[in-house]
Amino acid sequence: MSRKKIAAANWKMNLSYTEASTLLDQLLEVCPTNAINKIICAPFPYLHLCSEKIAGRIDFSVGAQDCSAHAKGAYTGETSAAMITSCGASYVIVGHSERRTYHRESSEHLLGKIHQAFSANLNVIFCIGEVLAQRKAGEHKDVVVNQLLEVLSGLGKEHISKLTLAYEPVWAIGTGETATPEQAQEMHAIIRNQMNAMFGDEGGQVAILYGGSCNAKNAKELFACNDVDGGLIGGASLIADDFATITTSF
Ligand code: PGA
């Protein structure tokens, strides 16, 4: 069984409704139909629009950037996993470092979100990665292994087919400083071994994306690494031609 190849766009809190609509039209035009799964992670208010636009392109999916850890009810401002599904999206990012940092999301809270996502039949892109001080202190390997253990130990094997991982060294996100292919491969191999230890062969087959200043210029050398199955792309996903180049860099 070969692992999925994925180019995921994380639009973050960018683009007006009209700009998002135009960008998606451009992406559908310039990204060739191929075996690479292209996932557009858009802001909540654009999920339905994006889902309607990608209909007919089986190589495209739509995702949200977060979901609530609660199923429904009096949680003003929250968006449930079921709401995301009802807008036609099939993926959700959980545990992005910007959420962990700015919203102090704990491992327990992240596990709650993942359970809600699976209950609503969403696929999860779970993000892990160390900050610069941890890498400088030589703690980066332990940090990501602990992030996997703390959250994913709460899952059963039956969930693994709906899980994708994204290794995003926090020092590389939005900074223009990318991990070298050697650094990325080293971490991805550690993550894959850990998944294997936790979930057996199926765990080892989970797609692991690299994220952090991945762009049209460096995607090819990153995706050439044995254990890198694609990318989670922030800044470069806002430029249609750049994202298209990334989707053909496998
Ligand atoms: P970046 O963001 O590509 O702009 O570094 C990646 C991410 O945060 O997912």
Side-chain angles (χ1 to χ4, degrees):
M1 196 176 88
S2 64
R3 302 192 304 260
K4 275 191 236 168
K5 300 274 182 214
I6 297 173
N10 179 6
W11 285 355
K12 306 194 181 185
M13 198 174 72
N14 292 298
L15 309 166
S16 67
Y17 188 88
T18 312
E19 287 165 347
S21 176
T22 304
L23 177 58
L24 193 48
D25 287 342
Q26 290 169 346
L27 286 171
L28 290 166
E29 202 179 309
V30 296
C31 292
T33 304
N34 56 21
I36 308 304
N37 294 286
K38 295 168 264 294
I39 306 166
I40 307 300
C41 299
F44 295 130
Y46 310 157
L47 291 179
H48 184 247
L49 169 82
C50 291
S51 305
E52 291 209 315
K53 279 190 186 280
I54 62 152
R57 280 289 294 264
I58 51 163
D59 55 331
F60 271 80
S61 307
V62 172
Q65 300 168 15
D66 183 39
C67 69
S68 176
H70 305 285
K72 66 181 291 190
Y75 299 100
T76 302
E78 291 271 278
T79 300
S80 73
M83 290 171 181
I84 294 167
T85 308
S86 75
C87 290
S90 53
Y91 279 84
V92 63
I93 298 173
V94 174
H96 191 280
S97 68
E98 287 150 17
R99 303 279 327 166
R100 290 180 191 255
T101 306
Y102 305 140
H103 302 273
R104 296 189 185 82
E105 294 186 348
S106 66
S107 295
E108 198 188 349
H109 194 60
L110 295 179
L111 180 59
K113 291 182 180 218
I114 292 175
H115 277 308
Q116 288 301 327
F118 287 149
S119 306
N121 208 24
L122 289 172
N123 296 284
V124 169
I125 302 175
F126 179 59
C127 301
I128 53 178
E130 80 284 358
V131 300
L132 187 58
Q134 291 165 329
R135 178 159 282 265
K136 282 190 169 159
E139 295 164 2
H140 45 294
K141 297 175 191 172
D142 291 342
V143 167
V144 296
V145 167
N146 284 334
Q147 286 172 333
L148 291 172
L149 281 170
E150 280 180 17
V151 179
L152 302 189
S153 297
L155 298 181
K157 265 194 182 172
E158 69 277 13
H159 293 125
I160 295 308
S161 64
K162 294 188 88 68
L163 184 70
T164 298
L165 297 176
Y167 167 62
E168 300 203 300
V170 180
W171 48 270
I173 297 177
T175 58
E177 189 181 341
T178 319
T180 63
E182 294 72 27
Q183 288 172 322
Q185 171 54 31
E186 180 186 38
M187 295 304 280
H188 281 231
I190 289 167
I191 293 162
R192 193 170 306 290
N193 284 340
Q194 184 59 36
M195 289 299 288
N196 222 307
M198 291 168 76
F199 300 104
D201 287 349
E202 223 182 313
Q205 288 298 317
V206 167
I208 309 173
L209 314 182
Y210 169 80
S213 298
C214 182
N215 58 39
K217 289 206 175 80
N218 60 28
K220 217 177 186 96
E221 55 176 14
L222 287 161
F223 297 173
C225 299
N226 265 346
D227 288 296
V228 177
D229 301 312
L232 179 56
I233 322 293
S237 74
L238 298 171
I239 302 157
D241 286 335
D242 285 7
F243 190 69
T245 301
I246 291 167
T247 67
T248 55
S249 297
F250 288 83

